[in-house]
Amino acid sequence: MSAADLPVSAQRYLLAQLTNQRHMLCLHVLNGVGTVVSGDPAHFGFAVADDGSVVTSDLGLGVVDNRHGLQLSHVQLGDGACFDLHQLIEDERRLWVLVDVSDSRDEIRQAQQRSNDARLRLDELSERERLLHAEHQALRESSDQLRRHQHMQAEFVRRLSHEFGTPISAVLGHLNLMDAPGTTVDQAQRSLTAVRRGVAHLRQLVESVLDQARLQNNQFELHPAVTNLAEMIDDFRELYLGSSLQRGIAWRVSLEAHGCTAVLIDELRLRQILLNLIGNAFKFTNQGQVALKVRWHDALLSAEVSDSGPGMSETEQARLFSDYGRSSQSVRGTGLGLSISREIAQRIGGNLRLLESAPGQGSRFLLEVPAPIVHGAPEDQPAELVAQRVLVVDDDDDLRPLLVAILEQLGCSATAVARMDEIALDQNPPPDVAVVDMHLGQLDGSVILQQLRVSWPDCYLLALSADSSQDVLERSRRAGADSFLLKPVEPGALSLALQVAAQRSEGNA
Amino acid sequence: MLGDFAVGKTSLVNRFVNNAFSERYLSTVGVKIDTKPVQLPNRQLKLVLWDLAGSEPLNGAAKSYLVGTHGIVLVADGTRPQTLDAAMRIHEHAETLIGARPTVVLINKADLESQWRTTPADLHNARQWALNAWETSALTGAHVEDAFLTLAGAMP
């Protein structure tokens, strides 16, 4: 069948479609039930299905029932042929005409591709602009943040200079005074008290700065131990009793422990947080009261510290827990206390927050930390300190005699050496206790501990260091130390360690 | 196969039908038709894939191309999030023309990890209304067959 066999209307249509560049690829004529009656069914996707109903299976047109004809432009098959497809309905017949459009397809594709490429480049440019804008924004924010941080650090250094300068001046001044000719014993005693106070303050400042550095550098370590709650609360009561009486401020302390006497927690850090909160409360309160309410229930320790001080505005509250977030009141301190306290509370697994505060209404803080109960903890009866023979190994010429003096005040018989070769390992009987500094110049104290552990198996070995990092603790333990003491040595802590040594000695006997 | 231009519709078909991939971008004009017989657990099916030139919105000839559609593979480019929005609009338009059809969503070019900008949430959202959605790669073939076979299984 050729085009001339088509009805006139179809011929006219085809003439309008075919030009110099467009020629008819093939013509298929289907009867009313969709069977190909003319044309090669194998061409261009036309095929007769077994039941004769599907005529254009590869084109997916078999199901189309379009009574008004169909036109599809630029149909490309897998073999690369590209045609416009026309379906004409004539006298119950369907005429399918495929017109070759390969040439125009290529032209259109080139134009379309240029347009798409341009849009892709535009998209890419927009994306780069967006990224640049985001980077610019981030840079501006970090620059602002850096500027704020630098300002705060400068303020911090200025404040620290003042904070350190004041007690150092006081200490030096009082020491000169004590040394001056004609100073009476009473004056010297007063100066000594002032020196002690100044040094204690300096120590607190140094600890704050060190704590902040440890927290920032992730070197902060916790050492949970059995802690007697009632004892700790009594200590706080006693500690601030004098201050409250002197200043006429009511000091209320309460403990609701629900039968719990001892808990497992890092006592040093818990005390540090509470001392910071109570210290602040007393620092800012001139009249009224300061209260500490401690409650233990279901492995959770909560401590509420409230005061009737000046309270804080919302602006002050917003920066309360930030580094150097000092309140506007002119008071002493690094301004790091609360931020460190909150950080420590979080490291313990708890939290510290401000419950309420308003100008003129006082403030109320709440500390909550996990504190598992310890069953069967020994009653903390102070053991009678039996006279013990103690050897001190420390290369610091100031600390060595100080330790000997403290030990003698505690009723011990103490000797001290600065080097390992000065230790008489053959003495018989050996000392009951040996206090060994972990940093002896070039020598690692753990070498001495190991030697002593071998030579004197029953001697109680007490490692000593200003460094409480896990590494030092572990080295001392592996070298055979029975316990660890942190510098600067508190007489109370040394006494406690000697009690434990005595109890162990009795146990062994 | 519906979606914005240059999202990889033709490459996905090429991967599925011929197990091949070409780096060269060749814009599709009109419609490209391929077939692929697939074996489903309970029947054999011949898929006729109509790969439509990418445009958003759908052009005037779209309705002619969409007549007879049994299922839709909706494709977006994971490195250009705007193509996902375009895909949604195209799908909505197609539904107004031919009614609802089983649909799978393919977020393509998953091999371009460093430039990837759509999120797992986008995939999750697409799964809320489509049969399923995948992050696909015509380059590696990742999830390409899963997508086509899932759609084939849902078609009459």
Side-chain angles (χ1 to χ4, degrees), chain A residues 153-168 202 205-206 208-209 212 324 333-336:
Chain A
Q153 277 199 325
E155 172 63 16
F156 178 61
V157 170
R158 190 194 62 72
R159 189 184 293 165
L160 268 193
S161 308
H162 173 72
E163 287 298 329
F164 276 98
T166 307
I168 287 172
L202 280 171
L205 289 173
V206 169
S208 285
V209 176
Q212 195 212 20
Y324 328 118
T334 58
L336 291 171

Side-chain angles (χ1 to χ4, degrees), chain A residues 296-341:
Chain A
W296 182 93
H297 187 255
D298 202 15
L300 182 74
L301 185 72
S302 54
E304 188 183 307
V305 177
S306 59
D307 65 61
S308 58
M312 284 171 283
S313 67
E314 284 187 4
T315 314
E316 288 171 321
Q317 291 178 33
R319 63 180 183 195
L320 189 62
F321 288 103
S322 63
D323 285 350
Y324 328 118
R326 165 70 66 77
S327 158
S328 60
Q329 285 88 2
S330 174
V331 288
R332 297 169 71 185
T334 58
L336 291 171
L338 277 177
S339 79
I340 290 175
S341 293

Side-chain angles (χ1 to χ4, degrees), chain A residues 381-397:
Chain A
Q381 296 291 343
E384 199 171 322
L385 196 57
V386 293
Q388 294 177 93
R389 287 173 308 106
V390 183
L391 171 70
V392 174
V393 187
D394 196 318
D395 63 346
D396 190 301
D397 292 339

Side-chain angles (χ1 to χ4, degrees), chain A residues 22 72 90 94 111 134 145 177 202 236 243 315 326 388 390 392 406 455 496:
Chain A
R22 295 157 64 98
L72 295 174
E90 281 282 350
R94 293 179 191 179
Q145 202 174 356
L177 198 63
L202 280 171
F236 287 132
S243 178
T315 314
R326 165 70 66 77
Q388 294 177 93
V390 183
V392 174
I406 295 173
S455 303
L496 195 65

Side-chain angles (χ1 to χ4, degrees), chain A residues 220-332:
Chain A
F220 192 83
E221 290 173 348
L222 294 167
H223 306 287
V226 177
T227 301
N228 187 310
L229 280 181
E231 197 175 83
M232 186 174 66
I233 303 308
D234 281 346
D235 282 354
F236 287 132
R237 183 185 285 114
E238 291 297 319
L239 193 62
Y240 285 93
L241 194 58
S243 178
S244 68
L245 289 172
Q246 196 180 0
R247 298 173 56 196
I249 298 169
W251 170 222
R252 304 183 200 289
V253 180
S254 66
L255 170 65
E256 190 185 329
H258 291 100
C260 169
T261 54
V263 295
L264 190 67
I265 199 164
D266 188 327
E267 183 180 356
L268 191 71
R269 294 307 181 183
L270 179 60
R271 279 178 183 262
Q272 182 181 350
I273 300 170
L274 289 176
L275 279 174
N276 181 251
L277 292 175
I278 300 165
N280 280 346
F282 271 100
K283 203 175 342 185
F284 292 112
T285 304
N286 292 321
Q287 58 181 8
Q289 68 159 17
V290 173
L292 166 67
K293 278 199 284 188
V294 178
R295 183 170 181 269
W296 182 93
H297 187 255
D298 202 15
L300 182 74
L301 185 72
S302 54
E304 188 183 307
V305 177
S306 59
D307 65 61
S308 58
M312 284 171 283
S313 67
E314 284 187 4
T315 314
E316 288 171 321
Q317 291 178 33
R319 63 180 183 195
L320 189 62
F321 288 103
S322 63
D323 285 350
Y324 328 118
R326 165 70 66 77
S327 158
S328 60
Q329 285 88 2
S330 174
V331 288
R332 297 169 71 185

Side-chain angles (χ1 to χ4, degrees), chain A residues 57-60 64 71-78 105 108-109 112-113 116-117 119-120 123 127 130, chain B residues 4-6 25-35 46 48 50 53 64-65 67-68 70 80 82 117:
Chain A
S57 59
D58 282 358
L59 290 174
V64 176
Q71 255 188 275
L72 295 174
S73 58
H74 292 99
V75 178
Q76 186 185 325
L77 290 182
R105 184 266 315 266
I108 292 171
R109 170 178 287 161
Q112 183 174 292
Q113 190 138 346
N116 286 357
D117 283 342
R119 281 180 62 193
L120 282 175
D123 282 356
E127 174 63 8
R130 191 191 66 78
Chain B
D4 209 350
F5 72 94
Y25 169 50
L26 204 59
S27 163
T28 304
V29 177
V31 61
K32 190 169 176 298
I33 302 173
D34 273 292
T35 58
K46 183 154 119 185
V48 181
W50 281 51
S64 302
Y65 292 130
V67 171
H70 288 114
R80 293 187 291 149
Q82 68 272 27
R117 292 221 10 238

